[in-house]
Amino acid sequence: MKIQKRLYSYYLIWPALLIYSIFFVLPALIGLYYSFTDWRLDRLEINFVGWDNFTRIFTDDTLLLALKNTFIFAVATVVGKNVLGIALAVALNMRLKTRNLLRAIFYSPSILSILVIGIVFTPLLRTEGAVNRILESIGLHGLSQAWLTDPSIVIWTIAAVSIWQTTGFQMAIYLAGLQSISKDYYEAATIDGATSWKSFRHITLPLLLPAININVMLTLIGGLKVFSEVFILTGGGPGNASQVFGTIILRTFGEGSWGLGTAINTLLFAFVAVISIPLLIFMRRKEVSE
């Protein structure tokens, strides 16, 4: 009877584990195998080639550029979305008459389709677009750029659009965290003579760590898996200047190089796991210690 009680919870888990294994774990393992083969659309025979696909990734200039752009995008969006998200949350947690309206305004871009955002921003960011015209009209000619056609800044432009779109979502999570912090802490700090900055540093940030952990992980994984923003705004151009792993995977599969495409996808999975899991463990420990 005791054994049955202990196993009862496992009986409830097994169906979910079985479905997860069939539709996620098994395809992942099959994909891992094919990443070590020369699987192509124009061939019937599939041969094991070892590490050749992965060696090609680290020797091909386009693939290395895609790897670099992926990390640039991930770092830029993690920093931008979280810093701005915290700033907006703190500002809109104050007693402003229009705070509910402002919250809705800042959150609304996150519910828009990336396709709609691409249609809106593409003409705005052209060389002769509204952004450059506004900058020139206020005398900031030096800031006028070819936002989507200059290879040196295009990935940063795409990152800025992504930050604009989803910072409101991070803001909402931070707002929920801020509203769970008791005002007694701030009142005690004020009595002790603490400044607003010290209260923010020693009270707000430590107690906001759970929300920070969630947002950092969401933005990091989303940044490393970026695809839609690049595909809609530039398609990986100009040339290959804004290619990321997501767009390279699509192009590689489209060309019929399924083995190489699977290898790139496997490498992307490895990067996400290797970066996110240790970071999550570190942040969890930091959260507990605080």
Side-chain angles (χ1 to χ4, degrees):
M1 183 65 69
K2 291 183 178 180
I3 295 176
Q4 290 181 347
K5 288 183 177 180
R6 290 178 181 176
L7 295 177
Y8 180 74
S9 59
Y10 291 100
Y11 294 151
L12 299 176
I13 295 173
W14 278 117
L17 285 177
L18 182 61
I19 294 173
Y20 181 80
S21 299
I22 292 173
F23 291 102
F24 292 94
V25 177
L26 183 60
L29 293 175
I30 295 173
L32 179 63
Y33 166 75
Y34 280 119
S35 67
F36 292 96
T37 67
D38 62 353
W39 187 26
R40 286 187 57 87
L41 176 63
D42 55 357
R43 295 179 187 172
L44 295 177
E45 185 178 355
I46 300 175
N47 301 307
F48 185 82
V49 295
W51 294 95
D52 288 0
N53 289 326
F54 295 94
T55 302
R56 180 178 172 183
I57 294 173
F58 289 102
T59 55
D60 186 283
D61 291 338
T62 301
L63 295 177
L64 286 175
L65 178 61
L67 176 62
K68 175 185 174 183
N69 286 338
T70 301
F71 280 105
I72 290 175
F73 182 91
V75 172
T77 51
V78 167
V79 175
K81 291 177 182 180
N82 285 284
V83 171
L84 290 176
I86 291 176
L88 287 173
V90 171
L92 298 182
N93 195 44
M94 298 178 181
R95 295 181 179 179
L96 300 173
K97 291 183 179 180
T98 59
R99 63 179 180 178
N100 290 331
L101 175 62
L102 291 173
R103 290 174 184 176
I105 291 173
F106 285 114
Y107 182 79
S108 59
S110 64
I111 64 176
L112 295 176
S113 167
I114 184 60
L115 180 61
V116 173
I117 291 173
I119 293 173
V120 172
F121 271 92
T122 300
L124 290 176
L125 294 170
R126 288 175 181 167
T127 306
E128 69 281 1
V131 173
N132 283 341
R133 289 183 180 179
I134 292 172
L135 291 173
E136 292 170 1
S137 66
I138 60 177
L140 299 176
H141 300 273
L143 296 180
S144 179
Q145 302 289 334
W147 302 103
L148 295 178
T149 55
D150 185 345
S152 63
I153 65 170
V154 62
I155 192 66
W156 296 97
T157 302
I158 298 171
V161 173
S162 179
I163 292 169
W164 174 86
Q165 181 193 7
T166 58
T167 294
F169 181 80
Q170 273 66 54
M171 175 202 70
I173 296 176
Y174 286 128
L175 269 172
L178 287 173
Q179 291 172 0
S180 67
I181 300 174
S182 174
K183 295 180 181 179
D184 295 340
Y185 295 114
Y186 297 103
E187 293 174 358
T190 302
I191 293 172
D192 290 339
T195 62
S196 299
W197 168 248
K198 287 186 177 180
S199 295
F200 175 76
R201 181 181 176 185
H202 297 290
I203 298 175
T204 303
L205 283 181
L207 295 178
L208 204 60
L209 275 178
I212 293 174
N213 293 347
I214 293 171
N215 273 330
V216 168
M217 293 307 302
L218 288 175
T219 52
L220 176 62
I221 294 173
L224 291 173
K225 294 170 61 179
V226 59
F227 169 76
S228 301
E229 294 90 334
V230 176
F231 184 75
I232 294 298
L233 288 170
T234 65
N240 291 312
S242 62
Q243 292 282 6
V244 292
F245 261 17
T247 55
I248 285 291
I249 290 170
L250 176 66
R251 190 178 76 175
T252 305
F253 272 96
E255 293 172 350
S257 300
W258 294 344
L260 178 60
T262 307
I264 299 172
N265 194 43
T266 300
L267 188 62
L268 176 60
F269 170 79
F271 280 140
V272 172
V274 169
I275 295 173
S276 61
I277 293 176
L279 182 61
L280 178 61
I281 294 172
F282 170 78
M283 291 191 300
R284 287 296 185 187
R285 288 178 178 175
K286 190 74 174 176
E287 181 181 332
V288 172
S289 65
E290 291 292 343

